[in-house]
């Protein structure tokens, strides 16, 4: 008597290997992939993962991305999920398939042709990209600091500019090399402090013509009345004070209307000369998500989901992190903020929801818990608020305790992916590398 074919395993497809998507793949792989209850596949256009809140350190050269990146293939083998490299280009809800663009080598050779992947449950975890709001010249003349590749490109330009400055010392009274950072949020503020520290270290290495107080000028521009407008005013004031101590210019209430090859022009008529411009103001979900195959999206291209993170128009599709518009409560008036801690919490929820769905149980509702915000100013200081919603202020902290809390956030992410023992080993390796290697990357 012929045997009936084995039932096909439920196919879970996660698009996006950022912090939230990778944590979800690890947890579902350990829970469902290991036991054979489901086939879990992670899709990302890159081959490695770097924690996005560290990109400003990669740009400044204070962090070597190659030392901290995580290999998707190796992690998938350890945690029982598959990895497929590819750039998402389309969705067919009728056939339950996604389309992937071809993959090419650095020499232009096609490694993988365009392809499709089937799914039973699809999770969008694509994160966000920088929103230039259509500002003329922004794309052509500034670097959008939203990927490891962009951070490395900025770092390369910074090193090149430093070498040029060292080769041709300026006469007394000549202008300094200026870096303009558009956006006074956490990314812009943290980058400014890291750049100041990088220049100081370069001067100690012998590049004396890039001294931060003499040869480098850093300017932050923001349209809001103060920097860090989404954080409590006490945090913003403390950070502003620290930045001014470092001679970093703060231009608030200034809307950028044009970015040129030579600088940044504001609506007030003010012009800031700039040898290197970074755009770190505003975020949005990728443009290709806008009403993709009939799914509901908002003005920021985010997929509209209910409080279980399920798409409003397709029960087999979920979205999480920065690319999801999830109501904060039943009123639907406020949305969950696009922050790393929100993506982490949503990954934990979906790691419970999807197995419950497979077991025929009702999904759980997402409840966002705001644990506060921390802003790192490199070796100079760390400032933030803990406990309670950001709007209420929470408990103000700064100094060494705040530095330790900021460091622990990254360790928490590493533990979620690699486990406690591997994170403990990695921490010792990091400590040894700090003693063995230069304090900044000079290549």
């Amino acid at each position: 008597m012929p045997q009936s074919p084995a039932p096909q395993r439920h196919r879970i497809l996660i698009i996006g290997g950022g912090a939230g998507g990778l944590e979800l793949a690890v947890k579902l792989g350990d829970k469902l992939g290991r036991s054979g209850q489901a086939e879990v596949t992670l899709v990302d256009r890159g081959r490695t993962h770097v924690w996005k809140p560290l990109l400003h350190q990669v740009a400044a050269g204070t962090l070597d991305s190659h030392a901290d990146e995580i290999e998707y293939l190796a992690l998938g083998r350890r945690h029982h999920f598959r990895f497929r490299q590819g750039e998402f280009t389309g969705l067919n809800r009728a056939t339950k398939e996604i389309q992937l663009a071809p993959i090419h080598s650095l020499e232009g050779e096609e490694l993988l042709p365009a392809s499709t992947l089937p799914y039973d449950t699809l999770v969008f975890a694509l994160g966000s990209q920088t929103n230039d709001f259509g500002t003329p010249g922004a794309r052509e003349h500034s670097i959008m600091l939203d990927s490891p590749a962009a951070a490395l490109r900025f770092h390369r330009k910074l090193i090149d500019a430093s070498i040029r400055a060292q080769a041709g010392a300026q006469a007394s009274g000549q202008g300094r090399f200026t870096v303009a950072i558009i956006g006074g949020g956490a990314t812009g503020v943290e980058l400014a402090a890291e750049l100041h520290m990088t220049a100081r270290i370069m001067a100690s290495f012998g590049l004396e013509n890039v001294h931060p107080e003499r040869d480098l000028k850093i300017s932050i521009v923001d349209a809001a009345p103060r920097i860090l407008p989404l954080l409590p005013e006490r945090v913003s004031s403390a950070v502003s004070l620290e930045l001014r101590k470092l001679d970093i210019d703060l231009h608030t209430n200034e809307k950028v209307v044009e970015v040129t090859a030579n600088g940044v022009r504001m609506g007030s008529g003010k012009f800031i000369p700039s040898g290197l411009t970074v755009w770190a103001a505003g975020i949005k979900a990728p443009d290709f998500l806008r009403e993709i195959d009939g799914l509901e999206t908002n003005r920021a291209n985010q997929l509209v989901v209910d409080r279980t993170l399920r798409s409003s128009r397709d029960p087999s599709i979920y979205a999480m992190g920065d690319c999801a518009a999830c109501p904060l409560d039943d009123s639907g008036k406020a949305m969950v903020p696009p922050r790393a801690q929100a993506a982490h919490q949503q990954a934990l929820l979906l790691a419970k929801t999807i197995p419950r769905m497979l077991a025929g149980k009702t999904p759980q509702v997402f409840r966002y818990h705001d644990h506060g915000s921390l802003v790192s100013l490199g070796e100079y200081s760390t400032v933030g608020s803990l406990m309670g919603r950001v709007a209420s202020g929470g408990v103000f902290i700064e100094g060494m305790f705040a530095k330790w809390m900021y460091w622990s956030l990254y360790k928490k992410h590493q533990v979620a992916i690699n486990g406690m023992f591997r994170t403990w080993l990695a921490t010792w390796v990091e400590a040894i590398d700090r003693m063995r290697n230069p304090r900044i990357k000079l290549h």
Side-chain angles (χ1 to χ4, degrees), residues 178-403:
T178 303
V179 177
I181 301 172
I182 303 171
T187 299
V189 165
E190 292 179 334
L191 176 62
E194 290 287 339
L195 288 176
H196 187 280
M197 185 172 65
T198 295
R200 193 185 66 186
I201 296 171
M202 283 183 179
S204 71
F205 282 172
L207 297 176
E208 63 271 11
N209 292 337
V210 287
H211 194 278
E213 278 78 34
R214 188 186 63 240
D215 306 295
L216 176 68
K217 188 63 182 177
I218 303 170
S219 300
I220 298 177
V221 182
D222 200 286
R226 59 183 175 90
I227 63 169
L228 302 172
L230 300 181
L231 271 62
E233 189 168 352
R234 186 177 180 186
V235 174
S236 174
S237 298
V239 171
S240 297
L241 179 62
E242 293 293 332
L243 292 177
R244 289 192 174 100
K245 288 179 182 177
L246 301 177
D247 193 31
I248 294 174
D249 283 348
L250 304 180
H251 302 270
T252 54
N253 268 326
E254 292 283 3
K255 181 181 179 181
V256 175
V257 296
E258 184 184 13
V259 181
T260 71
N262 301 315
V264 180
R265 192 177 308 280
M266 266 71 80
S268 63
K270 184 187 297 183
F271 183 81
I272 299 178
S274 177
L276 195 53
T277 303
V278 178
W279 190 286
I283 62 170
K284 62 179 179 178
D287 291 334
F288 58 72
L289 282 182
R290 187 181 296 120
E291 297 182 357
I292 184 168
D293 200 22
L295 293 179
E296 184 182 4
T297 54
N298 63 10
R299 290 191 302 175
N301 303 329
Q302 293 172 306
L303 292 165
V304 176
V305 298
D306 60 23
R307 295 193 65 200
T308 68
L309 304 180
R310 180 172 280 171
S311 164
S312 62
R313 293 178 181 170
D314 194 322
S316 64
I317 296 179
Y318 296 81
M320 57 171 288
D322 292 1
C323 73
C326 176
L328 197 59
D329 51 39
D330 289 333
S331 70
K333 295 180 180 179
M335 295 290 138
V336 174
R339 303 172 65 192
Q341 59 179 302
H344 169 70
Q345 294 173 31
Q346 289 173 343
L348 294 179
L349 178 82
L350 283 180
K352 298 175 182 177
T353 292
I354 292 177
R356 287 176 64 88
M357 179 265 295
L358 294 181
K361 299 178 181 179
T362 56
Q364 295 177 331
V365 170
F366 177 66
R367 291 179 173 83
Y368 175 60
H369 300 284
D370 194 330
H371 299 300
S373 298
L374 294 168
V375 178
S376 171
L377 302 180
E379 293 184 355
Y380 302 115
S381 181
T382 299
V383 179
S385 63
L386 295 179
M387 300 162 58
R389 294 186 176 179
V390 170
S392 65
V395 177
F396 179 80
I397 62 171
E398 60 182 332
M400 287 306 299
F401 178 66
K403 280 178 176 288

Side-chain angles (χ1 to χ4, degrees), residues 133-152:
F133 306 103
T135 305
R139 290 283 166 186
E140 295 82 1
H141 303 297
S142 62
I143 296 176
M144 312 290 175
L145 202 63
D146 52 13
S147 69
L152 289 171

